[in-house]
Amino acid sequence: YPVNMVPVPMAQGISDGYLRPADGIATLAGRDDDFPNLITNGTFATDIASWTDYNTADITWDAATESMKINYTGGGSSEPASYQDVTTVADVSYQVTFDMTRLQAPVAGRPPSIGYCKVIDVFTGATLMDEQFYVEGLKTTSQALEFTASGTSTRIILGTIYVLGANFPLYLDNVE
């Protein structure tokens, strides 16, 4: 069934094909059996297939960490990222969860790295959610962010924002 939709029983006088919204929030994470994971290859166990570079990002698979490395190369955008389009149901709330890690040690006098998650409607370009967060040196930040879909195709964008003095790659993992 589509996420956050359940069949209405025949006993209620409606055909088997009719769906109604389910209760609660649909998660991209699929942590509830009723809500399957919509993300493809969010663990990056062997590659970064199903993900596309965004804003001229330098994205590569990192075998040592089994994660996606998102790196600012100095050219193109100052917000390199990767994205994946997922099928959604309009007016249904979703949650996306992920981990971002900075493997470089903190440097005195330099700021932490900044990660971001942006969610847009693929067809209209409307921004549904746009969050930024700090990623400290040698630490992982875990995020659980919510948005409400406005259509049937939604783009999940995850990346880093260039900050002078904090230009370190971020490693993305466990996207659900």
Side-chain angles (χ1 to χ4, degrees):
Y1 301 108
V3 170
N4 221 25
M5 301 294 274
V6 295
V8 174
M10 186 69 140
Q12 292 181 6
I14 301 173
S15 73
D16 289 332
Y18 181 77
L19 300 174
R20 69 163 175 80
D23 298 327
I25 294 175
T27 68
L28 293 179
R31 292 200 172 126
D32 184 326
D33 290 337
D34 293 335
F35 305 120
N37 187 355
L38 300 181
I39 295 290
T40 302
N41 191 22
T43 60
F44 311 108
T46 59
D47 59 29
I48 58 172
S50 302
W51 291 85
T52 305
D53 70 317
Y54 183 78
N55 284 343
T56 63
D58 175 21
I59 59 171
T60 55
W61 179 66
D62 186 74
T65 61
E66 293 185 353
S67 63
M68 180 192 302
K69 179 180 177 182
I70 303 173
N71 196 20
Y72 173 75
T73 61
S77 172
S78 60
E79 295 183 6
S82 184
Y83 74 87
Q84 188 173 124
D85 293 342
V86 296
T87 300
T88 52
V89 177
D91 300 320
V92 173
S93 295
Y94 293 85
Q95 182 181 67
V96 59
T97 63
F98 56 92
D99 298 328
M100 271 196 186
T101 303
R102 182 174 129 183
L103 296 178
Q104 290 73 23
V107 178
R110 291 192 179 180
S113 297
I114 299 176
Y116 75 95
C117 178
K118 186 173 185 177
V119 178
I120 61 173
D121 183 294
V122 171
F123 299 115
T124 67
T127 299
L128 307 176
M129 187 256 297
D130 192 355
E131 296 287 333
Q132 298 177 6
F133 45 88
Y134 289 116
V135 184
E136 301 286 342
L138 297 176
K139 293 187 179 176
T140 297
T141 181
S142 298
Q143 297 290 320
L145 305 169
E146 294 180 11
F147 66 93
T148 300
S150 61
T152 58
S153 187
T154 302
R155 180 164 292 167
I156 310 297
I157 305 166
L158 297 161
T160 180
I161 297 174
Y162 174 74
V163 178
L164 186 62
N167 180 25
F168 300 104
L170 293 180
Y171 295 79
L172 177 64
D173 204 3
N174 302 317
V175 183
E176 300 179 332

